[in-house]
């Protein structure tokens, strides 16, 4: 895949970039390793100062970097600005909380008295240089939610970003440099996917984190496992959105529209399967379909646009194949079901797909089991909570879930029984710096964000004293 900015709204190639050669990759690995040996000894106060400076610069750059993201992968420009603001917020959160999250843990003396220790505690140390393989769909946020905790913990980072967002990738490397982080603390590597294995196998790379597709996760995990290196994987999702009889149906339907089409529907944590109890199904289906049909599809640089293009032509083709397979086997489209009509001004050459609601989904259809990465919703009718939970869990993925209910017992059942890394009640799934994020099953393993995320790339070191040094 070429390393290039191609505007998905009209198919125009805006910039192309050469991949780094072997000599330059070697130089950058060496610089990262050297930087880690010094940076790991800095105090939290200095790291916090640098991270806060990076957040300030990102705020100053918000308009420009939002436009860059929109031109590279098509998200509506308002959403791009919000993404930049969220990144600055996460940077400041880790700048404020990292020291406490990584504070030494001291078991009570009675808990270790039979270990023979006069004193024992757990101390967190950074691992080293971490390779981050990141996707295009949230080209700032996916990186920052790794980089902020990793850098605050004392690690250094190498970013291999998706090849269709090279300008955003280069911006990130430059951002941390401008903030004053020492040379080599965070570097962007413009390389193709074929270069990942050699970089990950290099002895100077301690660990890896990947957000992306299941095949990409399998490949990175296999190499890391062979090298016995730690990994965190955040892969696909096919999140259920349960609407039960006690729900506020009007609000559930309004939020469902946003939950499905956020980021043009290209989000691992977007709700994709809408599982609605028969008692409220007709009302929800009508409200949801009207909301999806009324969305404005168009130029993502226009403030009035709700849904922009898919990020790539292949992505649209993949989505079309899923929908066409379902329709051939009997599914119906309450709205959408194809490319939008009436787009002009060059947008007819872009990779747009109309917001779509499908019904009559069966297990024989690919869309029942595969992730839909675009503005297409699968709508199901169920007769009980048991049936809803069973259907929600009938997926190889387990990233997050959404439940609309005002019944306390139903909420307890869902917390107990839904196979997912998160359960969000009466609202849509969202990531937040203070809450751990990640999945189960084929959605990956490990956690990002919160204290769980910052400790993923730390060595939890047991410190034991038989007698105290003088």
């Amino acid at each position: 895949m070429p390393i290039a900015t191609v505007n998905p709204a009209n198919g125009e190639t805006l910039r192309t970039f050469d991949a780094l050669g072997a000599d330059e990759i070697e130089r950058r690995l060496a610089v990262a390793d050297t930087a880690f040996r010094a940076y790991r000894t800095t105090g939290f106060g200095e790291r916090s100062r640098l991270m806060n400076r990076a957040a300030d610069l990102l705020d100053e750059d918000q308009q420009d970097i939002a436009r860059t993201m929109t031109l590279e992968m098509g998200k509506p420009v308002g959403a791009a600005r919000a993404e930049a603001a969220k990144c600055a917020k996460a940077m400041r959160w880790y700048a404020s909380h990292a020291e406490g999250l990584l504070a030494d843990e001291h078991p009570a003396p009675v808990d270790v008295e039979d270990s023979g220790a006069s004193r024992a505690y757990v101390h967190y140390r950074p691992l080293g240089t971490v390779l981050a393989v990141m996707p295009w769909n949230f080209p700032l946020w996916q990186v920052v939610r790794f980089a902020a905790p990793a850098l605050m913990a004392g690690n250094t980072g190498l970013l291999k970003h998706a090849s269709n967002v090279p300008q955003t990738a280069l911006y990130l490397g430059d951002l941390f440099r401008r903030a004053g982080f020492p040379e080599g603390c965070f570097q962007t590597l413009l390389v193709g996917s074929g270069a990942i294995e050699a970089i990950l196998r290099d002895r100077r790379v301690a660990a890896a984190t990947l957000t992306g597709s299941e095949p990409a996760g399998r490949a990175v995990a296999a190499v890391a496992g062979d090298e016995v290196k730690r990994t965190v994987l955040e892969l696909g999702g096919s999140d259920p959105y349960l609407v039960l009889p006690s729900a506020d149906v009007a609000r559930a339907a309004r939020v469902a529209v946003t939950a499905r089409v956020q980021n043009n529907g290209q989000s691992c944590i977007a709700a994709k399967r809408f599982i609605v109890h028969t008692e409220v199904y007709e009302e929800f289906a009508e409200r949801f379909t009207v909301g999806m049909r009324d969305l404005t599809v168009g130029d993502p640089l226009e403030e009035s646009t709700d849904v922009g293009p898919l990020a790539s032509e292949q992505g649209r083709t993949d989505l079309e194949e899923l929908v066409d397979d379902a329709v051939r086997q009997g599914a119906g489209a309450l709205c959408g079901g194809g490319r939008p009509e009436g787009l002009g001004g060059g947008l007819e050459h872009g990779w747009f797909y109309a917001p779509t609601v499908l019904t009559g989904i069966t297990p024989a259809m690919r869309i029942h089991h595969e992730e839909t990465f675009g503005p297409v919703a699968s709508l199901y009718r169920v007769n009980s909570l048991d049936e809803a939970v069973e259907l929600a869990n009938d997926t190889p993925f387990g990233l997050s879930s959404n439940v609309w209910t005002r019944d306390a017992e139903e909420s307890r059942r869902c917390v107990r029984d839904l196979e997912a890394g998160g359960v969000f009640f009466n609202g849509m799934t969202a990531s937040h710096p203070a809450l751990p994020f990640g999945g189960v099953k084929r959605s990956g393993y490990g956690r990002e964000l919160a204290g769980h995320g910052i400790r993923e790339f730390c060595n939890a070191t047991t410190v034991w004293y038989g007698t105290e040094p003088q």
Side-chain angles (χ1 to χ4, degrees), residues 242-258:
L242 279 61
V243 184
L244 301 175
S246 65
D248 179 339
V249 178
R251 183 163 170 256
R254 286 196 305 273
V255 174
V257 174
T258 303

Side-chain angles (χ1 to χ4, degrees), residues 385-386 389 393 411-420 423:
L385 175 59
D386 287 342
V389 170
N393 291 339
S411 70
R412 285 191 288 270
R413 281 278 313 279
C414 290
V415 170
R416 185 191 71 185
D417 294 339
L418 287 176
E419 298 168 354
V423 186

Side-chain angles (χ1 to χ4, degrees), residues 29 127 129-131 196-209 220-233 445 456-457:
L29 284 166
L127 288 181
T129 295
V130 182
L131 172 65
I196 294 173
E197 179 173 350
I199 295 170
L200 182 51
R201 288 191 184 277
D202 191 281
R203 61 173 179 77
R204 292 162 293 190
V205 173
T209 179
V220 165
V223 174
D226 190 48
E227 296 289 339
V228 197
K229 293 182 179 181
R230 191 178 304 180
T231 52
V232 170
L233 302 181
Y445 53 76
E456 286 283 3
F457 297 116

